Amino acid sequence: MSHVDTTPSEERRGAFTSRRVFILAAIGSAVGLGNIWRFPYVAYENGGGAFILPYLVALLTAGIPFLLLDYALGHRNRGSAPLSFARQSRGTEGLGWWQVGICFMIAVYYAAVLAWAVRYTLFSFTEAWGDDAEAYFFGEFLQVGDPGVTMDFVAGVVFPLALVWLALIVVLVLGVQRGIGAMSMIFIPILIVAFAVLVIYALTLDGAGEGLNTLFTPNWDALSEPGVWAAAYGQIFFSLSIGFGIMITYASYVRRGTDMPGSGLVVGFSNSGFELLAGIGVFAALGFMAQASGVQVSEVASSGVGLAFIAFPTIISEAPLGAFLGVLFFGSLVIAGFTSLVSVIEVVISAVRDKFEMTRRGATLAVSIPAAIVSLIFLGTTSGLYVLDIVDNFINKFGILLVAVVSMVVLAYAVRALPSLAEALNDHTSVHVGAWWRALIAVVAPIALAYVLIRDFLDTLEEPYGGYPEWMLAVFGWGAAGIVIVFGFLAALVPWRPGTSLEVPDLPPTRPGPDRTDRSRPDEEVR
């Protein structure tokens, strides 16, 4: 029986056993809550059918090029985000730790949304929210009070949140292939089938056609508005899981000799395909809701928490076979969210393992238990929704986008890394990157994302986000975005474990032959 050649480093860190497993894991990371509850509304608000044009332009000029940049860093340098940056150039390690800090923040609040979705999957069977989904969600379920921070824990949130963290720890302790890879091989096909069934069902509802007309009727005048193009670049960046260490980490687990640009195209277009599918399903359902309520689709269209936990429960209560629709929708949220959450926390675990002499089990517990405690304390209370909303807004806008722009500028101009990264991408591929890719990374993508960042910054200064108290925005907003930067560059001062080489590993490619799949030996021992 053949097996994949492994090196001592790969034995220690773990590796995906095939390109197929890596692609499914990368799709699992990219396809998350944002695809289902953010894209449809962003498209609707920014020109409807006409939004597809700037969306595709953003995908091709920023999304996929930056995805390949992440792949090149991880696959060439064979390390977590901090180690990959350090091996590229010693002075850039702090950028990797900045990304690690962002991932820790995201994991803390992302798990809470999963806990809500788990509960609502069960609620769907009995339509527990009754006749007023909004009052139930904010009142009986989350028990939301006035803006502030309380220590009043909500049992209905704390227990499922603890279960989410327990399930997460189990998957991560199992390792790269037996945990992350095996989960992706099972969950991603289930997610695609479940969501396809949901879309088909939504299309059979009365009013579905009006919902689709509302979403896809093009407003060509919108293409002349800079804000529409900014929305397209922002959406692509948020939805592809790029710029904050995930794809660097996953690419480091891929064997030498793997076609990385080809894999990037598959992941990028799969993610966008799922977003379009989500848009069709969501707006078909909203069309039904509008017709049943006797209002325009524009009056019921929403995004984020409002769409998932208020609009959809209302739809479920009205629709035939509502429990079936509810289980499909919230079950899809759970699967999409869980695969993304695994990838987010893996960035932190991989960095800790590379920096210190720790086993996978030890690093998983050292990272996940503190994250779970912080998550339970701040998100399991009556003020959890406020904390989540603020941290999510600021970390996405002034964390992910900012570190992405800084990374591109530093790699392109300060350390001039793009030629060596392009060379790494061009090894074993039929999709060669050249001057066009370097131009997109060095000029087009940073300018586009910097424009989005500056717009968001000025808007936030002009009108404080969400009408929250200034002290909450200072602590959980600007404070959260700032502390990950400080953490990043302080963590870079900590010395690497003895024996860690900061030279690029000169590893031989795998033996030529057909793609080897899961028949290869396990990636690592669980210790």
Side-chain angles (χ1 to χ4, degrees), residues 339-425:
T339 53
S340 296
L341 179 58
V342 165
S343 68
V344 168
I345 202 71
E346 175 64 17
V347 172
V348 189
I349 292 169
S350 178
V352 169
R353 290 196 73 200
D354 280 350
K355 190 77 168 183
F356 307 102
E357 190 66 52
M358 297 185 74
T359 63
R360 167 159 284 276
R361 177 180 291 135
T364 298
L365 296 177
V367 169
S368 300
I369 291 177
I373 292 172
V374 174
S375 183
L376 289 165
I377 290 174
F378 286 103
L379 282 305
T381 66
T382 56
S383 57
L385 178 62
Y386 299 133
V387 173
L388 184 153
D389 189 31
I390 296 171
V391 176
D392 176 59
N393 179 74
F394 279 81
I395 282 293
N396 274 282
K397 289 180 178 178
F398 309 117
I400 296 174
L401 280 185
L402 182 57
V403 73
V405 172
V406 172
S407 297
M408 283 187 282
V409 171
V410 169
L411 290 172
Y413 300 105
V415 301
R416 300 191 178 279
L418 298 188
S420 63
L421 293 174
E423 182 181 353
L425 287 171

Side-chain angles (χ1 to χ4, degrees), residues 81 85 94-104 243-245 248 347 403 407:
F85 271 104
L95 293 173
W97 285 108
W98 183 357
Q99 294 179 345
V100 168
I102 288 171
C103 285
F104 185 89
F244 52 111
I248 296 175
V347 172
V403 73
S407 297

Side-chain angles (χ1 to χ4, degrees), residues 118-262:
V118 169
R119 289 295 307 279
Y120 267 70
T121 304
L122 301 176
F123 290 165
S124 297
F125 289 103
T126 61
E127 297 177 12
W129 46 79
D131 296 329
D132 192 339
E134 182 174 1
Y136 181 85
F137 177 69
F138 291 114
E140 188 172 341
F141 180 59
L142 292 184
Q143 300 174 28
V144 174
D146 295 328
V149 176
T150 74
M151 288 295 107
D152 298 326
F153 290 94
V154 181
V157 175
V158 168
F159 288 113
L161 181 54
L163 288 176
V164 167
W165 279 106
L166 181 60
L168 186 68
I169 290 170
V170 169
V171 169
L172 291 168
V173 163
L174 286 173
V176 177
Q177 175 58 33
R178 285 175 290 184
I180 301 170
M183 174 202 67
S184 301
M185 291 286 287
I186 296 169
F187 278 10
I188 298 308
I190 291 174
L191 173 63
I192 293 170
V193 171
F195 210 79
V197 172
L198 184 151
V199 170
I200 293 170
Y201 174 75
L203 289 172
T204 67
L205 297 172
D206 294 336
E210 186 58 33
L212 296 183
N213 285 337
T214 302
L215 174 61
F216 289 115
T217 298
N219 174 15
W220 298 112
D221 292 339
L223 297 182
S224 63
E225 299 175 13
V228 170
W229 292 84
Y233 278 90
Q235 175 61 28
I236 282 294
F237 221 75
F238 294 141
S239 72
L240 267 178
S241 291
I242 50 180
F244 52 111
I246 293 174
M247 294 305 177
I248 296 175
T249 304
Y250 273 15
S252 75
Y253 297 142
V254 180
R255 308 293 183 189
R256 295 285 193 184
T258 300
D259 180 359
M260 298 306 288

